Structures are given as structure tokens and as C-alpha cells.
Amino acid sequence: MAENLSSPDNVELHLPSVLGYEKIARRAAEAVAEQMDFAPERIEDLKTAVAEACMNAIEHGNNENRAIHVTVQMLIMPDKLEVRVADVGHHTMPDQLPPPGSGDMRGWGMFFIQNLVDEMQITRLPDGGNEVRMTLYLAPQSEESEADGSDSQPSPTETSPTAVLPVETKPSTVLPVEEKPSAVLPREEKPSAVLPVEAKPSAILPAEEKPSAVLPAEVKPMAILPAEEKPSAVLSAEVKPAAIQPAGSHPSAPEQRSASSSVEVQSPQES
Amino acid sequence: MAKEVVHRLNGNIGFMDFPRDVTAQTRETAYNAYNTLARAKVKTVGFNFESSDYLNSAGIGLVISLVEDAIQSGRTVYAYGLSAHYRKLFSMVGLTERITLVTNEAEMIEKCDQP
């Protein structure tokens, strides 16, 4: 890490681990990125990435315990913005991220982060927490992008293959009455995007009303696109070799503290 | 500011007006709205995001689940009111291959009227 980190400006937030507070970080990131003159579309990318990282930290890392804070650091450097989102690590990030929408992680969110920022790195902190680092560069990083005359701030998604993703699997606590009972297929039995109608179990509704029911998200077996196109959504070591640090390797800690400003966002119950 | 998904009917077209924040908390009212439209046997559904300025991953997952059911049920889905950024996210997850993105409700109705 020999880049110019000697004295980056540091904006730091401490968010209660309650869903909704990620929007505070989103707005703060927007303000910082605007100040750095990022292109509007890149700011939108950053906002989504920061919000998703915070949601992961709130929900999984901190188990939505409002007494525990998610720390968001925004390190402002001449050529880039680095945002670090840290939790206390109640849920340890796996060494390899699961496919979007699978398992108990917010796979969709990690997929968006991966594809919206220039660099993403997940680190296990010495105290057991997780830290997601997201970097956006002000200028193109590859010679290719300069050579082919692309815009000065290309969005990562412009070169990313279209993703093919299974559906968010987060269960809802309250399900509508009309929802069909589970029609869960094991992941390996998901051959296509859409189950044929006859494969759908009839449920509460009379047959003629079958189409009206919505499968609850947690039983959703289908992906949007055919299975053979899925691999692009999987975050593999080959795609992002530096994305995940093995346990015990902590390339850095929050070492930049100069010119920092700290904002504490307290939940109503704490004040 | 409304936090619920509201449904409307216009002939054989159903509309779902999404709130400002489309998140996991939107799930129940979205299902209710969709199921109401489905019971009315609409063949076309329009997702109106004109009031929405924050869709997180759970919210997009919710949209996907609704779209999947609609397609399985033989319905056509349109979406409008999305910013360029959320259009991009919809494309990233493959939604744009399943639904038709239009600018606004008028354009959607115009497309529906075409033979």
C-alpha cells in the first residue's frame, strides 16, 4: 500500500446497526464524491455500493444490534476515494462469496458492490470484525481504457457482463395470505429461469386464480436467466483475486487519521 | 411520504405505484398489491417508480420475484420512472430482458394499445 496515503482527509461516520441508517452513509458518500468532482453516474454507483456495504454490516456483521455501530470511513485522496465499512463480525465473511441471492448473505448487495466500484476488498479485522473497502478512482486505471478513448471515469458495469442472478433469498416475516407454499427446488435443480406453469404447486387459490399468487422470496427457486449464464455472477477468486483476504491477513488497519472529521449518528433510543 | 405500494386498475392494465424507498420493508404491501391485480386478471402490469429514489438490493430482489411470477402467469410487465442508475442495475440483474422499460405511464399505455 504505497499509494499516497500519507495524509488523506478522513470523514468518519458511526451508524447504529438499524436498517435505514445506511441512507445516511449514502448521502455522506454522495457529498464527498461531489466535492471530489466525480461524475454523476459514478456517484450513483458509489451511493449504491456504500449503502449495500452498510446494510451487510448492519444486518449480518452487527446482527441489527442498534447498540453496536457500523463504522464508515471515507478516505479522500488526490486520485481516489476509498470507503471502508466495518462491523464487529458477528457474521464472518466467507473466503469466497456465494452467488448473489444465495445463502444467508445479501448476495445481491455484494454483487452490486463488486460491479459498481473500481476495487473491492474484504478484510477480517484483528478484532474479528469485517471491513469492506471500496475504491473509486478519479481517472482511468487501465491503459486499455485510455487507449480506446473511453470516458475518463468509466463505470465498472460498462465492461461487466450482464449478470444473471438468483433472487434475493431474505425471508420476509409476514407473508401475504395468497402466497403459495414453498416450491423450493435445490439449487442444482434450477435448470432454467422460469419454472413452467405446471411445475408450480397449486395452493390456497382455486385453479383459475393460480397465476395470481406470488412466490415468497425465500422459496424462489428460479434465476432470471438460464443457468448456463449464471457463472458471471459468481465472485470467484479468478475474477477478483484480491477481493478476499484470508483469515489472519490484515494488510492494514485504519492508519489514516489526519484531518479527520467524525460524525456520530445516534439512534433515537440512544439519545 | 407513502411507504406502501399502491395498486390501480385501468381497464385490463394494472399499475403498482412504488414508494420512495423500495426495500425489504416494501415486500408485504407489494405482494398485496400484486395479488389484488392478479385476482382482477390483468394481463399487463406497470411498475411505477416515479416516486422512488432508493431501491436497495432487497428491493430489487422483490421486483425480480414479482416479475418472475408475472411472467410465469403470462403477464407482461412494464416499468417506468427509473433513473439511469436504476435502469443500469435492472440491466445488471437481467430484469431488462424480462420487462419493458418505458419513460412514463403514457408511453406504456401507448405500447399496450399497439396491436
Side-chain angles (χ1 to χ4, degrees), chain A residues 19 22-23 26-27 41 44-45 48 51-52 55 106 108-109 111-112 115-116 155 157 162-165 167-168 170 172 174-176 178-180 193-195 197 200 208-209 211-217 220 222-226, chain B residues 20-21 23-25 27-32 34-41 53-62 64-75 83 85-86 88-98:
Chain A
L19 285 174
E22 77 277 3
K23 291 189 289 185
R26 186 173 173 262
R27 291 178 184 172
E41 63 269 22
E44 291 301 314
D45 291 346
T48 291
E52 295 297 333
M55 288 169 57
R106 186 178 292 277
W108 286 104
F111 172 81
F112 284 138
N115 285 279
L116 292 174
S155 171
T157 53
T162 298
V164 182
L165 307 175
V167 175
E168 172 69 39
K170 188 172 189 301
S172 67
V174 181
L175 297 177
E178 294 89 343
E179 286 190 39
K180 293 179 180 178
V194 179
L195 282 179
V197 173
K200 292 176 73 176
E208 63 272 16
E209 291 185 23
S212 67
V214 178
L215 286 175
K220 183 159 294 307
M222 302 80 68
I224 284 288
L225 293 178
Chain B
R20 178 174 179 175
D21 292 352
T23 67
Q25 284 66 48
R27 189 182 303 273
E28 186 175 357
T29 60
Y31 283 143
N32 289 340
Y34 177 82
N35 286 328
T36 301
L37 295 176
R39 281 195 298 271
K41 302 188 185 308
D53 66 3
Y54 176 53
L55 288 82
N56 65 19
S57 55
I60 291 175
L62 166 63
I64 289 170
S65 67
L66 293 170
V67 167
E68 284 184 345
D69 186 84
I71 290 173
Q72 287 180 41
S73 304
R75 298 187 181 95
S83 69
H85 176 67
Y86 288 114
K88 179 171 74 176
L89 297 192
F90 273 36
S91 175
M92 288 170 63
V93 301
L95 268 173
T96 49
E97 299 183 20
R98 295 293 190 217

Side-chain angles (χ1 to χ4, degrees), chain A residues 1 35 40 56 70 86 119 159 176 191 195 222 239 243 252:
Chain A
M1 300 285 282
Q35 183 172 295
N56 277 335
V70 171
E119 292 175 5
T159 56
L195 282 179
M222 302 80 68
V239 174
S252 64

